[in-house]
Amino acid sequence: MNDRIGVLGGTFDPVHYGHLAVAEDVRVSLGLKQVLFVPTAQQPFKRDRTTTSGAHRLAMLERACANNPRFVVSAIELDRAGVSYTVTTLEQLREQGFVDICFILGADALHDLPKWHRAADIPELAHIVAVQRPGEVVVLAPVLQALPVLRQRLTLLDGPQLAISSTELRHRAHTGASLRYLTPDPVIEYIDRERLYR
Ligand code: ATP
Ligand code: MG
């Protein structure tokens, strides 16, 4: 074990076993001390969709991570409010003393990375760990061409490859389909109690 931490950013609307299995797989593969789950306040690419309140998304994440002492939920982006830029979050985390950071993302997010705010600075601030995601074939060439700094700073992992998405969970909740075995029971209880995604 080392002092490396993982950071998994996302909307988490809601969190699901895809997120949790990816975080655990990367944590064990790279011997990370902990994985920080960072829900966005406002995702730059999702501004057209109304997301569930940050308080609800945070509450669901806390329930999902409660039984894993190596999973930590961070409100760093929600506390900052406004549009959430990963580069700002990584700079803030480094100021807080986290010097060795692995930023974890799924294959879909890796393809978008060159479009992120100050994209070239992100691999300077963190090692990038990209994980395969079903339905998304990793095409590295254009990403490396747009972000040459990534070449020395990228690890590609197979990951658990679970075909689960928050979009699918929202749709299932909306239509009354079951969420069991797609996200932890305490998350489902919270969704039911708060009547989310109806
Ligand atoms: P939505 O359908 O609303 O976009 P999502 O399931 O993609 O939700 P996000 O919160 O957008 O979840 O994802 C946060 C991060 O987790 C992203 O880097 C994404 O690629 C990754 N991720 C989410 N689900 C999976 C999965 N099943 N396998 C691998 N990576 C995943
Ligand atoms: Mg997504």
Side-chain angles (χ1 to χ4, degrees):
M1 180 121 40
N2 49 42
D3 274 344
R4 275 195 146 180
I5 63 153
V7 171
L8 179 61
T11 314
F12 301 109
D13 191 13
V15 60
H16 52 70
Y17 277 131
H19 299 124
L20 297 166
V22 160
E24 181 66 1
D25 188 76
V26 175
R27 185 188 71 74
V28 172
S29 300
L30 304 186
L32 306 176
K33 197 165 82 170
Q34 57 182 38
V35 177
L36 242 54
F37 289 73
V38 183
T40 53
Q42 250 181 286
Q43 219 268 38
F45 300 116
K46 288 183 180 169
R47 273 190 259 193
D48 46 341
R49 188 173 80 72
T50 40
T51 42
T52 308
S53 77
H56 280 322
R57 291 181 289 117
L58 188 71
M60 290 188 281
L61 266 174
E62 271 161 2
R63 279 163 176 73
C65 295
N67 65 353
N68 188 336
R70 305 219 175 266
F71 284 1
V72 177
V73 182
S74 165
I76 189 169
E77 292 187 355
L78 295 173
D79 290 346
R80 213 162 63 219
V83 178
S84 305
Y85 294 118
T86 295
V87 69
T88 314
T89 302
L90 294 175
E91 282 172 343
Q92 254 182 286
L93 288 172
R94 287 182 67 124
E95 277 164 27
Q96 289 172 17
F98 297 104
V99 285
D100 199 356
I101 302 174
C102 287
F103 186 75
I104 305 162
L105 36 66
D108 56 317
L110 175 70
H111 291 137
D112 287 339
L113 185 62
K115 290 183 283 186
W116 292 12
H117 182 59
R118 288 175 51 205
D121 293 338
I122 295 174
E124 309 274 3
L125 293 162
H127 191 90
I128 307 299
V129 182
V131 179
Q132 301 281 354
R133 184 169 189 178
E136 195 78 26
V137 179
V138 176
V139 188
L140 268 187
V143 181
L144 292 176
Q145 198 178 357
L147 286 178
V149 285
L150 201 57
R151 217 170 277 275
Q152 311 301 325
R153 296 285 280 166
L154 177 68
T155 300
L156 254 181
L157 294 180
D158 284 342
Q161 310 219 34
L162 298 182
I164 306 175
S165 70
S166 300
T167 301
E168 184 199 344
L169 264 74
R170 291 193 299 274
H171 178 72
R172 294 182 69 87
H174 183 68
T175 57
S178 176
L179 302 187
R180 262 192 106 180
Y181 311 117
L182 297 173
T183 190
D185 290 343
V187 175
I188 298 173
E189 284 154 21
Y190 187 90
I191 291 171
D192 288 343
R193 174 155 59 80
E194 299 294 329
R195 306 178 61 82
L196 301 180
Y197 313 116
R198 298 291 174 94

